[in-house]
């Protein structure tokens, strides 16, 4: 029995030149957990809106084909009837919440459809989403992850058979993302719900989804079991979907002949362990590790010698007024020094105090006790003019950075206001550096997510601030764009002096930071180099940070391995090293005719060891 | 309202405009509530600092939704949230703001035409200010005992209201309605509509009714209601007095009858409403 | 004064403060004796105190009613900000008239009617503060619904409290962008001060350009979600109304409240007569 069936669906937005959906055929069986993948703008969200009747019942446009949800025709069914068949969670779920309290929100749709037991239904939905203990809370008291779960609870309160989620984890920290997926899995496996997610994160697809579909140019390219789907590396890469790093590693090892050609590519850590554990794996504990370590400690050591740190928190205490009861303490006697030139990542789950720390620096919040010294001078009493000479903040939501009607004007704004002589020239340079020249006259908020980020970075560094603060610079981006932004930020290493990034994105952390500060409930529970942090199981556990998948893979193979990138991971395989040395030609010629990998690998292993000795 | 829904914005787009206008104007009035009224000499300027927000929205989208949204926003955010609900008197503000913004929105057929926008942006507030000035005068006239007898009061009321009207129109009308609207409308045109999923307004696809006699008639009715409401809320005194003259010494009896009648009415309404809900 | 006031508006601390006060006022006092009353009774009570004072002219009676509403306001534990706005409102409604009539040749004879007027305004305002700030918004909107107010209004009330923190944060961030990236003119001289005020006003007006676009984006999702949750369907459905309003209950507590108020008012009316008899 099918939960959702689309037959030959084509949809064109009013005034659009080309259809957004073309001849989409999709059949989702009941009880499926389907991921829809695809590049930004390929029509994924539009597809989902046809399923719940928003198109064509509220969003007018040209729709042909039939859409059947739970046996009824979505285009003509009563929206109330349809709502009992299919629930929908938006990507910007925050705006989906329309009531002030949690229980109210969860039971709102049941009330609207005149269920006498709407409270019980709301409670049941909250229970399923693990929010029953927050039923009486107000929405603004919830964390981002809880808000997302609440939006989900609101969607399942009517007990629909199908739940559609648009990029469920895009705005969540890794801990909450996982929690959301655990809830979804529970709904899928124990409550018989069919779940459809739009998802870029292949590691989640690998772990939780049963099947996956790829969308390309408004149509479904294929639908496959999730495991197989993630092995279509070329297709995925062509659609800007980044396959699991473990699968990529598997492909490389196949090229190197370390894995049999016919073997399926591993997509999760467990599969990876099964596939890779037979292959010699030697983490370069002494060599590269110490190199890097030395590099980084030298950096840190050099600056710690300077007696005056650029930022200094001295015994800072902050608490927020709360609507009821005692104020909420965020920091209690916080001490922190940031040296000139440090590249710092601030990590920790939502609500750990990252944003508060940023806001303190920026003077948006004044500490109740203690002081913050910026370049030796206390920030208290510093005007915005003085403060903005010293630091610059790029908001998490780039839309709030755009205050003019074109990004050129936005970038220029601060320089103009300060009478910088070569403002126009510098703006041009920044536009070029962030590849925005073509878009210079567009309004920032009408651009794509990645373009918005680039523009907000350009605005942030326009004044060449000595300290640059970035709040979640890679949130809400698909992985392709995310990597691009990560690269751009990495490029900033040479341009800006001190950079502090608050982020959940461990890829970014690994590629950028020299020093990681781990916050947990307003306390600094870890402060050190990436190795020191990620290798410390206690810190990782307490803060809920999730090192990149490839790091976990390396750890699974050898607990002393600390690889943050694919190349670093592959570098631990002598077989791959060998192939690299032999170059591309050797790889091509050698690939089909590799002898059983073990002997070669052992040879390479010995070779490597000999070299090291 | 629903007659042209098919041709123009859909109901949900109207709801979007309503929500947008309500939240923005509501927030703005909440903030402006905290600005002490500016005094220049003896004249208190009752400046609607942020009227440009609904004006802009009314010109770009469905005027009625924008107008109603703004009036509701003001009611909810600045009156109810801060507990400054003036009872029936608020209805007067509600109606004058709605009418002013609605008419301004209707006057614009093509938001790209700066002249149209400018004329509408000053006419809308002018209508609103004129209406509230008239209402204010009537209100003070009935509220203050022996209006004519208080030395200097009638003159002062007429003078202050008249002066305030002119001053508001020239000062806040131009500074806070005309200029910001002229700044915002062209900048938002073509950008904000796709965000709500509708097409920009052009003379061709315009579905709003033209500024016809009917609209003016309805606005006039609304204005009269506003005056009546304002008077009812403050004119009680004269009515009682009139009754008292008529009833001479039987004030007590009539007051008793009045109170009884009111109580009976409330009880009847309560019972009817409960029954209605029980049977639903 | 102009400068101080703009400084206040621009100061993000006060925006935080404003949000805090409004939310506190709405939800922070739901355990007071006033908040626990049935909203319908309170609304009727309000209707009485919003209308009757206008009909009265006796300073003593008005004073009595003023005291009663002051007490209920105290019981409702409203936020200080609301009281501040109240004071501001009373002054601007009658204070300026007093000055004006003095200037137009009035004398102390003007004072008496204006005192009466001030008492009326104050009583009515305090009654409204008691009811509209004392009740939590959901109760209030249920009460209004019961009396047949449009569903749109009652929804707007709840939604306003939902959207307020979001909008305020958005506005704060946008204003902060202007503050950090822009540069306000020096305001040491008089000319500088004028330029500074103009700059601030311009900033606030301009900040609505991004704010409007950002809010437009949000409201689309909000309205689509509302449609999916059957909001428009419910607005015309009597059964929904019945379910929603089934929580309303008027009992002994309400009766006591009504009786005490009525007794107090009756005393006020009787007081002048009693004084006459005694003297």
């Amino acid at each position: 029995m099918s939960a959702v069936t689309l037959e030959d669906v084509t949809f064109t937005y009013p005034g659009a030149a080309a259809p957004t959906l073309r001849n989409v055929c999709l059949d989702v069986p009941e009880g499926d957990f389907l991921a829809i993948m695809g590049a930004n703008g390929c029509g994924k969200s539009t597809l989902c809106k046809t399923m719940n009747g928003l198109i064509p019942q509220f969003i007018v446009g040209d729709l042909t084909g039939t859409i059947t949800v739970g046996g009824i025709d979505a285009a003509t069914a009563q929206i109330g009837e349809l709502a009992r068949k299919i629930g929908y969670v938006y990507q910007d779920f925050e705006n989906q919440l329309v009531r002030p309290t949690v229980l109210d929100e969860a039971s709102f749709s049941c009330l609207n459809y005149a269920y006498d037991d709407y409270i019980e239904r709301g409670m049941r939905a909250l229970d399923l989403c693990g929010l029953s203990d927050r039923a009486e809370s107000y929405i603004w008291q919830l964390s981002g992850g809880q808000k997302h779960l609440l939006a989900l609870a609101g969607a399942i309160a009517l007990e629909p058979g199908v739940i559609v989620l648009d990029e469920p984890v895009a705005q969540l920290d890794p801990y909450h993302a996982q929690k959301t997926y655990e809830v979804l899995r529970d709904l899928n496996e124990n409550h018989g719900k069919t779940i459809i997610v739009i998802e870029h994160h292949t590691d989640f697809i690998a772990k939780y989804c049963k099947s996956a579909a790829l969308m390309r140019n408004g149509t479904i390219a294929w639908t496959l079991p999730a495991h197989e789907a993630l092995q279509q590396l070329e297709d995925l890469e062509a659609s800007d979907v980044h396959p699991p790093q473990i699968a990529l590693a598997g492909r490389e090892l196949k090229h190197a002949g370390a894995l049999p050609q016919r073997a399926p590519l591993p997509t999760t850590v467990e599969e990876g362990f099964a596939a890779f554990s037979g292959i010699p794996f030697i983490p370069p504990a002494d060599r590269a590790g110490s190199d890097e370590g030395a590099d980084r400690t030298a950096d840190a050591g050099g600056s710690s010698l300077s007696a005056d740190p650029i930022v200094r928190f001295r015994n800072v205490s902050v608490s927020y007024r709360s609507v009821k009861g005692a104020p909420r303490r965020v920091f209690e006697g916080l001490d922190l020094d940031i040296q000139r030139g440090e590249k710092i990542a601030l990590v920790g789950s939502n609500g750990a105090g990252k944003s508060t720390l940023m806001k303190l620096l920026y003077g948006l919040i004044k500490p109740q006790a203690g002081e913050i010294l910026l370049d030796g001078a206390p920030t208290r009493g510093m005007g915005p003019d003085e403060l903005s000479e010293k630091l610059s903040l790029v908001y998490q939501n780039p839309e709030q950075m755009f205050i003019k009607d074109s990004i050129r004007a936005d970038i220029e704004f601060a320089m103009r206001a300060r009478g910088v002589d070569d403002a126009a020239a510098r703006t041009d340079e920044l536009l070029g550096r962030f590849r925005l020249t073509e878009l210079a006259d567009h309004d920032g908020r009408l651009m794509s997510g990645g373009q918005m980020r680039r523009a907000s970075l350009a605005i942030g560094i326009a004044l060449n601030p000595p300290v640059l603060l970035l709040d979640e610079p890679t949130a809400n981006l698909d992985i392709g764009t995310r990597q691009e932004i990560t690269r751009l930020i990495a490029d900033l290493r040479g341009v800006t002096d001190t950079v502090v990034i608050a982020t959940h994105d461990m890829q970014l952390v690994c590629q950028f930071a020299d020093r990681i500060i781990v916050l947990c409930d307003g306390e600094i529970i870890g402060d050190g180099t990436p190795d020191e942090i990620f290798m410390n199981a206690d810190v990782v556990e307490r803060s809920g940070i999730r090192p990149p998948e490839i790091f976990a893979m390396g750890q699974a193979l050898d607990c002393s391995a600390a690889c943050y990138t694919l190349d670093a991971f592959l570098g631990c395989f002598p077989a791959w090293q060998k192939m690299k040395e032999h170059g591309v030609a050797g790889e091509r010629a050698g690939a089909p005719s590799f002898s059983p990998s073990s002997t070669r690998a052992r040879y390479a292993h010995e070779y490597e060891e000999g070299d090291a000795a | 309202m629903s007659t042209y829904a098919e041709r123009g914005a859909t109901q949900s787009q109207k709801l979007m405009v309503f929500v947008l206008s309500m939240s923005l104007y509501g927030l703005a009035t909440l903030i402006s509530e905290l600005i002490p009224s500016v005094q220049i000499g003896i004249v208190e300027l009752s400046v609607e600092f942020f009227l440009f927000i609904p004006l802009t929205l009314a010109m770009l989208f469905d005027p009625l939704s924008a107008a109603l949204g703004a009036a509701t926003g003001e009611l909810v955010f600045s009156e109810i949230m801060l507990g400054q609900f003036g009872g029936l008197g608020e209805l007067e503000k509600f109606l004058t703001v709605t009418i002013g913004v609605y008419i301004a929105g209707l006057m614009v057929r093509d938001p790209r035409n700066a002249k149209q926008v400018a004329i509408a942006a000053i006419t809308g507030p002018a209508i609103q200010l004129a209406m509230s000035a008239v209402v204010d005068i009537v209100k003070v006239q009935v509220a203050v005992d022996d209006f004519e007898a208080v030395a200097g009061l009638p003159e002062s009321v007429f003078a202050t209201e008249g002066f305030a009207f002119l001053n508001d129109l020239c000062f806040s009308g131009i500074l806070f309605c005309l200029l910001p609207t002229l700044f915002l409308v062209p900048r938002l045109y073509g950008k904000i509509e796709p965000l709500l999923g509708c097409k920009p307004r052009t003379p061709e696809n315009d579905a709003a009714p033209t500024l016809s006699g009917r609209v003016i008639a309805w606005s006039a009715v609304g204005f009269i209601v506003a005056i009546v409401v304002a008077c009812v809320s403050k004119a009680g005194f004269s009515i009682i007095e009139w009754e008292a003259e008529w009833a001479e010494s039987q004030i007590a009896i009539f007051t008793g009858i009045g109170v009884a009648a009111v109580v009976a009415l409330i009880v009847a309404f309560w019972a009817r409403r409960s029954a209605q809900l029980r049977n639903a | 004064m102009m400068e101080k006031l703009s400084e206040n508006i621009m100061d993000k601390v006060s925006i935080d403060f404003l949000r805090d006060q409004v939310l506190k006022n709405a939800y922070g006092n739901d355990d007071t004796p006033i908040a626990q009353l049935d909203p319908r009774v309170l609304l009727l009570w309000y209707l009485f105190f919003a209308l009757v004072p206008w009909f009265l002219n006796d300073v003593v009676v008005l004073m009595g009613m003023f005291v009663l509403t002051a007490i209920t306001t105290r019981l409702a534990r409203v936020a200080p900000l609301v009281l501040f706005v109240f004071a501001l409102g009373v002054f601007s409604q009658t204070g300026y008239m007093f000055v004006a009539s003095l200037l137009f040749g009035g004398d102390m004879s003007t004072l008496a009617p204006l005192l009466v007027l001030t008492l009326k305004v104050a009583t009515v305002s305090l009654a409204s503060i008691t009811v509209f700030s004392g009740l939590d918004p959901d109760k209030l909107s249920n009460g209004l619904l019961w009396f047949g107010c449009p569903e749109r209004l009652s929804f707007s009330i709840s939604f306003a409290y939902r959207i307020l923190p979001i909008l305020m944060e958005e506005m704060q961030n946008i204003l902060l962008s202007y503050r950090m990236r822009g540069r306000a003119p020096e305001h040491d001289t008089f000319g500088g001060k004028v330029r500074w005020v103009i700059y601030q006003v311009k900033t606030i007006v301009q900040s609505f350009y991004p704010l409007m676009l950002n809010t437009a984006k949000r409201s689309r999702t909000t309205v689509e979600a509302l449609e999916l949750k059957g909001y428009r369907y419910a607005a015309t459905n009597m059964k929904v109304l019945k379910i929603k309003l089934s929580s309303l209950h008027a009992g002994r507590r309400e009766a006591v409240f009504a009786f005490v108020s009525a007794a107090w008012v009756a005393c006020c009316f009787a007081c002048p007569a009693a004084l006459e008899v005694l003297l």
Side-chain angles (χ1 to χ4, degrees), chain A residues 198-235:
Chain A
I198 296 178
E199 189 54 85
H200 298 295
H201 295 77
T202 42
D203 41 341
F204 281 106
I205 300 178
K207 209 161 160 196
Y208 295 97
C209 296
K210 290 179 180 164
S211 55
L214 181 71
M215 254 194 117
R216 207 156 39 197
N217 301 325
T219 193
I220 300 278
W222 42 253
T223 309
L224 289 170
H227 186 72
E228 273 175 56
L230 293 179
Q231 300 186 25
Q232 316 298 317
L233 303 185
E234 285 75 22
D235 276 359

Side-chain angles (χ1 to χ4, degrees), chain A residues 13-84:
Chain A
Y13 278 106
T20 309
L21 299 178
R22 311 160 201 268
N23 310 97
V24 173
C25 292
L26 182 68
D27 183 72
V28 187
E30 218 163 75
D32 198 2
F33 196 143
L34 172 75
I36 299 177
M37 306 177 283
N40 279 349
C42 73
K44 298 183 303 274
S45 298
T46 309
L47 179 74
C48 291
K49 285 183 182 173
T50 60
M51 292 184 200
N52 59 18
L54 273 178
I55 293 173
Q57 302 203 21
F58 298 114
I59 303 169
V60 287
D62 197 12
L63 179 79
T64 58
T66 56
I67 304 136
T68 318
V69 177
I72 59 174
D73 182 33
T76 55
Q78 284 283 322
I79 204 79
E81 200 185 339
L82 204 57
R84 275 162 251 187

Side-chain angles (χ1 to χ4, degrees), chain B residues 11-12 15-16 18-20 22-24 27 30 33-37 39 42 44 50 53 72 75-77 80-87 143 145 150-152 156 159 176 180 183-184 187-188 191-192 194-197 233-234 236-237 240 266 269-270 273-274 277-278 280, chain C residues 5 9 18 22 25 40 44 46 54-55 57 81-82 85-86 88 91-92 103-104 106 110 120 128-129 132-133 140 145-148 152-153 156-157 159-161 163-164 167-168 171 201 204-206 208-209 211-213 215-217 219-220 223 227 232 238-239 241-242 245:
Chain B
Q11 286 298 326
S12 43
L15 189 57
M16 282 178 210
F18 179 88
V19 167
L20 183 60
M22 182 195 86
S23 342
L24 285 173
L27 175 72
L30 182 65
E33 191 82 13
L34 300 179
I35 307 175
S37 29
Q39 307 238 184
I42 53 153
E44 183 236 11
F50 295 102
I53 298 167
T72 312
L75 188 70
V76 170
F77 278 79
I80 292 182
M81 267 189 186
L82 291 180
Q84 312 299 314
F85 189 70
D145 183 25
V150 179
S156 72
F176 294 102
F183 167 80
L184 284 170
R187 272 176 182 74
L188 290 169
K191 279 184 196 155
I192 196 168
L195 294 178
L196 294 190
S233 68
K234 309 219 164 172
F237 182 77
I240 288 246
I266 291 172
F269 178 78
W270 193 288
R273 191 75 178 151
S274 301
L277 285 169
R278 208 173 305 122
Chain C
L5 118 217
I9 306 162
L18 181 60
V22 168
N25 190 40
R40 295 169 297 178
L44 284 175
Y46 165 69
W54 299 113
F55 293 75
N57 249 352
L81 174 79
V82 172
V85 175
F86 155 76
L88 208 66
F91 173 78
S92 71
L103 264 158
F104 277 87
T110 329
K120 288 178 182 181
S128 96
I129 290 176
F132 292 96
S133 297
L140 173 65
L145 261 185
W146 194 88
F147 283 104
R152 191 63 70 89
L153 177 67
S156 298
I157 293 175
F159 183 70
Y161 284 100
I163 194 87
L164 183 80
L167 275 180
M168 284 211 166
M171 173 140 191
V201 170
I204 292 183
V205 170
Q206 283 174 350
F208 273 89
Y209 167 74
L211 201 57
M212 271 173 155
L213 285 168
T215 315
K217 258 188 181 175
S219 55
R220 181 169 186 185
V223 170
E227 297 283 9
R232 218 143 44 90
M238 270 308 267
K239 182 156 182 237
L241 197 62
K242 181 190 170 185
L245 300 183

Side-chain angles (χ1 to χ4, degrees), chain C residues 185-205:
Chain C
E186 297 289 328
H187 51 283
D188 301 329
T189 61
F190 180 74
K193 279 193 172 101
V194 171
R195 270 196 305 279
W196 190 83
V197 169
I198 293 173
Y199 173 84
Q200 302 291 15
V201 170
K202 249 172 83 178
T203 303
I204 292 183
V205 170

